[in-house]
Amino acid sequence: MDHVTTQQPQAIAKVFIQRDYSDGTAVKFQTKLPADIHDRVDSDTFERFVEKINQYYAEAEGIGCSTYLQGCFACLTAHTALLCMQTQYDKNLKRCTEYIKEQNIGIFLPKGLKVIDPFERGLRVIEILVLPVSQNHVDEEKWSKF
Amino acid sequence: MSGPDNPQHDTVGLTDGPSSAAVSPLHVPATSATSRTGYSALETSAMSHIGKRKYEVFPGKNTFHCGGHIMMGRDKGFFFLTVGLFIFGGALYFAFDCVYLATEVHWSIPIVGAILYILSLSNLLWAGMSDPGIIPRATTDEAADIEKNIEVPKQDNPTYRPPPRIKEVTVNGVSLTLKFCYTCRIFRPPRASHCSICDNCVDNFDHHCPWVGNCVGKRNYRYFYLFLVCTCFLSIYVFACNIATLVLEGLICFITIWSVLGLAGFHTYLIAASTTTNEDIKGTWSRKRSPAMKNPYNNNSFSKNFCVTLCGPNTDSLIDRRGIVTEDYSVASNPPMKPPEPYIPNSSQDQVETFHNNSAAALTPDHNEPLAANGQS
């Protein structure tokens, strides 16, 4: 598995999308396109991308009938059921990870950007690597274990 | 120097995974933060952590067990005390109260107690042994990015300390300030706080509970609350069982005391007065009924009366109940006298004789020769 060359003298720049707390402590990221990468991707695409991530997390943290029943069931089984069953949060997290991977391959890597799953950053930030445009990162991503 | 295949290390103990760009840590742009705090030196030593599990190099003060599945706070003494109290109390309850109540009242009583006990204990273990919602520390690049966005005023004075970093946010229309955590190098999210005991920023930080031995935060608050509620119900239930046991046993004891104590006391008096129940009821030696009569059996000394009654000689049984019956004995025991004729109106003399024959025959079962002749004489 080839990594991006480490012999480059130029360091890889990183852009961080911070959390948006305007609606509370739920996981939500700012949709504003950072100035550093406005030449790589347009703001509409980026906004849609971040909003989709926000949507996944909103669904993950959403409360409904099924989450309530899941919680009650877990409670009655002394929470041992949590060890066996996949919660709504886990499912949506997985969907979000898949989505980010797809978007990376489809949109961002061809433009020399790579989005790191915020879950790998403790849900603090969405980290975007600004990669050199010249190299083909797409194939590398397809083969990598994301 | 880093090789081409080394995964990137941004912060001590945190690996980004094989998919991220492998930039040598030494190539990270030397920002003011990096040079000031000297993290580049640490990052080189972080290369030795490659291949380990993240919990083995966790920067906080938590302790990890069972391959990282269980995590606890630094102060575990109180937690073990809590668990110990649970086990000890539970043992006493199930061994004593439950055994008694299950047999005397209803079999379901220990089952309800057991359910509450298991719920309570499991919530305690989940609260104490899980991640409370720790916010992982920022990577070096993140911290550098934050530094970049903050205006650092010119430091004229060598003893100048920068003011605490804050960030203004609006949460649901309310303006709040987020503080910067120097340890974790993040602006703490709203409601997060840094626990000095565990040395972590915890999301939705409630408090650090010594009884549970862990912080109580976003992820384990429900277990903590359920632990409190279940323990509350459990203690009330156990207390009720105790009272029930006490009441039932107490009632039985009370009735026993009421009857037996009085009786024991009464007979103590009888021994002391050298009388019997029969004499006492009849008032044989009572001064009121017969003042002239004096109890001739009284030794006039309580201790002597007791001594005689309790420690006097044990006489042998006189009836020799296990002795073998001999002819002499049966003859001696059955007097030859004719029993009186029962008055039976309108009956023949034959019936009377039959009656006598039968009664005589019954007295000598071992002899073939009935003594009917005696009855007929």
Side-chain angles (χ1 to χ4, degrees), chain A residues 1 3 6 8 11-12 14 16 21-25 61 75 78-79 82-83 114 120-122 124-125 129 145-146, chain B residues 4 8 10 16 18-19 21-23 27 119 122-123 126 136-137 141-142 145 170-172 186 189-190 223 226:
Chain A
M1 176 176 65
H3 291 273
T6 55
Q8 277 197 347
I12 291 173
K14 295 181 184 184
F16 298 97
Y21 297 114
S22 60
D23 288 335
T25 53
E61 293 178 338
C75 196
H79 308 290
L82 291 174
L83 300 168
K114 183 169 174 177
E120 294 194 11
R121 293 289 177 270
R124 298 183 301 270
V125 289
L129 306 177
K145 285 184 272 182
F146 191 10
Chain B
Q8 182 182 23
D10 286 324
D16 296 343
S19 61
V23 173
H27 290 170
L119 281 177
S122 70
N123 279 310
W126 274 93
R137 297 188 183 186
D141 295 324
E142 277 176 59
D145 188 64
T170 312
V171 179
N172 281 326
I186 53 164
Y223 306 124
L226 287 172

Side-chain angles (χ1 to χ4, degrees), chain B residues 60-62 73-75 194-200 208-210 213 215:
Chain B
K61 290 188 183 151
N62 296 84
R74 198 177 50 172
D75 53 342
H194 190 94
C195 175
S196 51
I197 300 170
C198 302
D199 203 21
N200 294 313
H208 182 98
C209 183
C215 289

Side-chain angles (χ1 to χ4, degrees), chain B residues 193-216:
Chain B
S193 190
H194 190 94
C195 175
S196 51
I197 300 170
C198 302
D199 203 21
N200 294 313
C201 269
V202 178
D203 203 2
N204 266 34
F205 182 74
D206 195 83
H207 68 287
H208 182 98
C209 183
W211 300 105
V212 160
N214 202 3
C215 289
V216 177

Side-chain angles (χ1 to χ4, degrees), chain B residues 23-198:
Chain B
V23 173
S24 162
L26 296 176
H27 290 170
V28 168
T31 60
S32 55
T34 313
S35 55
R36 194 163 65 224
T37 53
Y39 277 97
S40 53
L42 279 172
E43 280 160 359
T44 49
S45 72
M47 306 301 271
S48 61
H49 297 305
I50 295 167
K52 287 186 184 171
R53 297 263 184 192
K54 290 182 187 178
Y55 73 84
E56 292 172 337
V57 295
F58 187 73
K61 290 188 183 151
N62 296 84
T63 56
F64 297 86
H65 312 276
C66 296
H69 288 294
I70 289 172
M71 64 182 289
M72 298 165 68
R74 198 177 50 172
D75 53 342
K76 292 192 278 290
F78 269 107
F79 173 71
F80 288 123
L81 176 68
T82 311
V83 174
L85 280 172
F86 247 91
I87 292 171
F88 181 66
L92 283 178
Y93 171 69
F94 288 111
F96 298 109
D97 280 352
C98 278
V99 167
Y100 176 77
L101 289 171
T103 50
E104 297 297 320
V105 183
H106 201 263
W107 54 264
S108 65
I109 288 176
I111 291 173
V112 173
I115 290 170
L116 280 173
Y117 184 77
I118 288 167
L119 281 177
S120 203
L121 195 59
S122 70
N123 279 310
L124 169 67
L125 294 175
W126 274 93
M129 293 183 167
S130 62
D131 178 358
I134 294 171
I135 302 171
R137 297 188 183 186
T139 60
T140 316
D141 295 324
E142 277 176 59
D145 188 64
I146 291 173
E147 290 282 338
K148 217 168 46 175
N149 296 329
I150 294 169
E151 283 183 30
V152 182
K154 265 202 322 199
Q155 296 175 27
D156 308 324
N157 194 342
T159 59
Y160 175 78
R161 289 176 69 197
R165 295 174 189 172
I166 56 167
K167 187 159 86 164
E168 295 273 346
V169 289
T170 312
V171 179
N172 281 326
V174 180
S175 181
L176 299 171
T177 53
L178 304 184
K179 286 196 191 134
F180 183 76
C181 180
Y182 283 95
T183 315
C184 304
R185 297 189 294 169
I186 53 164
F187 278 103
R188 282 187 215 124
R191 306 188 101 179
S193 190
H194 190 94
C195 175
S196 51
I197 300 170
C198 302

Side-chain angles (χ1 to χ4, degrees), chain A residues 97-114:
Chain A
T97 307
E98 287 301 318
Y99 173 73
I100 291 172
K101 192 172 179 185
E102 280 168 29
Q103 295 295 299
N104 267 332
I105 293 171
I107 298 174
F108 294 106
L109 282 167
K111 298 182 179 167
L113 296 172
K114 183 169 174 177

